[in-house]
Amino acid sequence: NVQTQSTPVLPSNSGATNTENLKTIISNAAEGSTLFFPNGKYDFAKDGTNDWAININKTINILGENRVKTVLNATANNYDLVRVTANNVHISKIGFSRSSLIAYSASHSGYFAGLCLRGTELSSFCELGFENNGIAIHINNPSTNIQNFSNSFFMIIGKENRIGIKYTNTTTHQTDNRFREIIFLGDSSYSTTGGNYNAGIYIEAAHVGDVFVTGCIILVYRRGVHIKCTNMSNYCYNIWFQDVWID
């Protein structure tokens, strides 16, 4: 339970207090342990000068009661809410939100994520919700020795996110990531000036292969799926879509 007596993470706490307390809890947690969030809206501020609030850097489980009623909320728009940098991490029944929708940018500048993967393998993400994020799920690796491999995403619902799933900045292969039973509803600016580069699934300048998307619904996005390989060094292969509805 995250509401330990020494370092409580509570809906009544400030974002900065929750960020520091959860950082301590994760640091002290044993590998393989589970952190449980009861229903409530938990505010999290930016972790100092880092560009994230919560960094999951060890093999733990994060469990809530309900993705609608158990919500982790970013109090500002200039950082990723949750970043995963360890293997065998499992997150379920959690919502990822922001106090306001991130501003539109054609270059995706400032599009911070609800959930960002930066070097995780064999992890699973189930029954999650996303709202008001620049990117709901960002699969991103900043260096040649980091990859995101064999991760599964199941029963994901997102609304009012500029981008649903984005692969980017990858310098090694990102392979065998699977998405099943996912619904993304785009943001309200999709049909107005701005929004041209918003997409349910966005893959560009990335070494991406063996992506499996099944049972997915993508609505109210200017581009349902965007896949672009900028040169022979950045290529995609084996991108599979089955039972996908785009409108």
Side-chain angles (χ1 to χ4, degrees), residues 26-168:
I26 292 174
S27 177
N28 294 335
E31 295 279 341
S33 60
T34 297
L35 305 183
F36 174 69
F37 285 80
N39 282 341
K41 183 180 179 182
Y42 301 82
D43 286 339
F44 289 93
K46 188 177 183 180
D47 180 13
T49 60
N50 297 310
D51 56 356
W52 64 77
I54 303 164
N55 183 29
I56 301 176
N57 56 5
K58 62 172 55 176
T59 298
I60 58 174
N61 307 311
I62 305 291
L63 176 65
E65 290 190 73
N66 182 295
R67 66 182 162 209
V68 176
K69 296 180 179 181
T70 308
V71 177
L72 311 184
N73 181 67
T75 56
N77 290 340
N78 62 338
Y79 54 90
D80 292 330
L81 179 53
V82 175
R83 184 170 292 183
V84 179
T85 57
N87 297 333
N88 291 293
V89 172
H90 306 286
I91 303 177
S92 60
K93 298 183 179 180
I94 294 283
F96 301 76
S97 75
R98 293 179 188 272
S99 299
S100 61
L101 178 62
I102 287 179
Y104 170 75
S105 167
S107 66
H108 299 175
S109 175
Y111 274 17
F112 287 96
L115 175 64
C116 179
L117 276 59
R118 281 208 173 189
T120 182
E121 301 179 9
L122 302 171
S123 294
S124 65
F125 308 91
C126 178
E127 295 186 57
L128 305 181
F130 295 88
E131 185 173 1
N132 283 349
N133 296 284
I135 305 166
I137 300 169
H138 193 185
I139 299 175
N140 179 14
N141 73 318
S143 65
T144 57
N145 61 346
I146 293 177
Q147 69 173 342
N148 299 289
F149 174 75
S150 289
N151 300 299
S152 62
F153 303 81
F154 176 58
M155 294 180 66
I156 309 293
I157 295 179
K159 66 176 183 178
E160 293 291 329
N161 300 287
R162 298 293 188 186
I163 296 175
I165 300 164
K166 183 178 182 181
Y167 282 84
T168 189

